Amino acid sequence: MSSSTPDPADPVFRLHVGGKMAVASTVPLTSREDLSLAYTPGVARVCEAIAADPALADTYTWVSHTVAVVTDGSAVLGLGNIGPRAALPVMEGKAVLFKQFAGVDAVPVCLDTQDVDEIVATVKALAPSFGGINLEDISAPRCFEVERRLDEALDIPVFHDDQHGTAIVVLAALRNAATLLNRKLGDLRVAVSGAGAAGVAVTKMLIAGGVDPAGVVVCDSRGIIGRHRELTGTKAELAELTNAEGRQGDITEALRGADVLIGVSGGQIPEAAVAGMAPGGIVFALANPTPEVHPEVAARHVAVVATGRSDYPNQINNVLAFPGVFRGALDAGATRITDSMKVAAADAIANVVAESLTADAIVPSPLDPRVAPAVAEAVAEAARRDGVARR
């Protein structure tokens, strides 16, 4: 039987019967008085108050603790463009993680369109029901445009987790790996394999966190990105921002003498290329389920290895970031999520295990209960410093 064929005896399918979430009331409904307060006629007074002062929705509705998890089903996990219905189990899972780790209520919204204009218009129309928008599993390059336009149009946080969640945790992990190896971020030479949503965001986040852009080289499927190539959009931006030496060639050339490899491409990288890195290097091979470099192979040549998998040490898992990021943004009433808020989140994640670093423990466990509260506090403080907080 295929692994994707429903099997009533399979614990995965058993767990998903009926879905992974439901709506629960937070108020009693056991008497006529309860009904009159929660619904008509009492609710009309609350509606009138909000009509007079829309900001009261934060106090008298669920928006202050609720986000929409929005996808078009175009880039779901490693499964690709499987569509909105097939994406729903993942979005339910995301919503459960929000609730479990940060007490944030989340609603899956799977859109039956992959048109940028339609996605933006639909999310804008839905926005009054939510305090934030978590974009999920939308393929590049459309995801950049969708996020940019929604961020400009809405006065609530918009966050594409495939980009920024990954980038935040990578920065946290690299900060701790550098500390462990007695290195400075600004001195590291970094090769990023992959120029999709995660690759672009990781590159920008590392630079925002202190990595020298002159020491960064980014590769896509055609090789090193630089001014020698005719590029548009985000890749053209990367060409201007990185590769100060004007390197040309493939990932092997990008890794020659590099201190760090960040793999977010899904493509395989030969061992010989990793062997060409500088001594005492760092490899984050984050493709799932098959890392760009097998961790045991990478460990032959570098000092610290991380993956996206749960069965190896140092799992770079977005759940370390997004619950706390939204909790902090919602607590502060943030109108958007700034770069400083993302860097603050990375610092908070890194600090959770800063006193107990080893080569096999540069990030906390995804189940560490200290992470989300620490991230939330740091993000809320950063929002207030940046002037985007309403409380």
Side-chain angles (χ1 to χ4, degrees), residues 195-286:
V200 171
V202 164
T203 301
K204 292 182 177 180
M205 179 60 59
L206 293 183
I207 293 169
V211 173
D212 184 351
V216 178
V217 176
V218 183
C219 289
D220 64 7
S221 59
R222 293 177 54 200
I224 293 174
I225 289 174
R227 298 180 184 181
H228 61 283
R229 292 173 51 184
E230 292 186 9
L231 300 164
T232 60
T234 54
K235 290 185 180 181
E237 293 177 20
L238 290 179
E240 293 295 321
L241 190 63
T242 64
N243 192 16
E245 296 179 358
R247 289 198 184 192
Q248 301 182 32
D250 60 10
I251 186 63
T252 299
E253 171 61 21
L255 284 174
R256 184 172 54 82
D259 302 297
V260 182
L261 163 63
I262 309 292
V264 282
S265 64
Q268 294 299 290
I269 297 174
E271 181 174 0
V274 179
M277 294 176 65
I282 299 164
V283 167
F284 294 172
L286 306 183

Side-chain angles (χ1 to χ4, degrees), residues 19-34:
K20 297 190 289 284
M21 57 186 297
V23 174
S25 173
T26 63
V27 298
L29 290 175
T30 58
S31 68
R32 280 178 171 271
E33 183 180 10
D34 291 341

Side-chain angles (χ1 to χ4, degrees), residues 113-125 127 133 135 138 141-160 163-164 234 335-336:
T113 177
Q114 296 184 356
D115 178 82
V116 170
D117 291 339
E118 290 185 357
I119 293 171
V120 170
T122 302
V123 175
K124 285 172 61 178
I133 305 296
L135 300 174
I138 300 173
R142 291 177 305 109
C143 60
F144 304 120
E145 178 76 1
V146 169
E147 183 184 46
R148 182 188 65 78
R149 288 172 56 180
L150 287 173
D151 194 45
E152 292 174 354
L154 302 177
D155 63 352
I156 57 176
V158 178
F159 184 85
H160 184 208
Q163 293 182 61
H164 310 301
T234 54
T335 56
R336 58 191 298 264

Side-chain angles (χ1 to χ4, degrees), residues 174-221:
L174 187 59
R175 191 179 295 284
N176 277 347
T179 298
L180 182 68
L181 300 176
N182 198 27
R183 308 287 296 277
K184 294 182 179 179
L185 283 183
D187 296 334
L188 297 176
R189 295 167 63 91
V190 180
V192 179
S193 177
V200 171
V202 164
T203 301
K204 292 182 177 180
M205 179 60 59
L206 293 183
I207 293 169
V211 173
D212 184 351
V216 178
V217 176
V218 183
C219 289
D220 64 7
S221 59

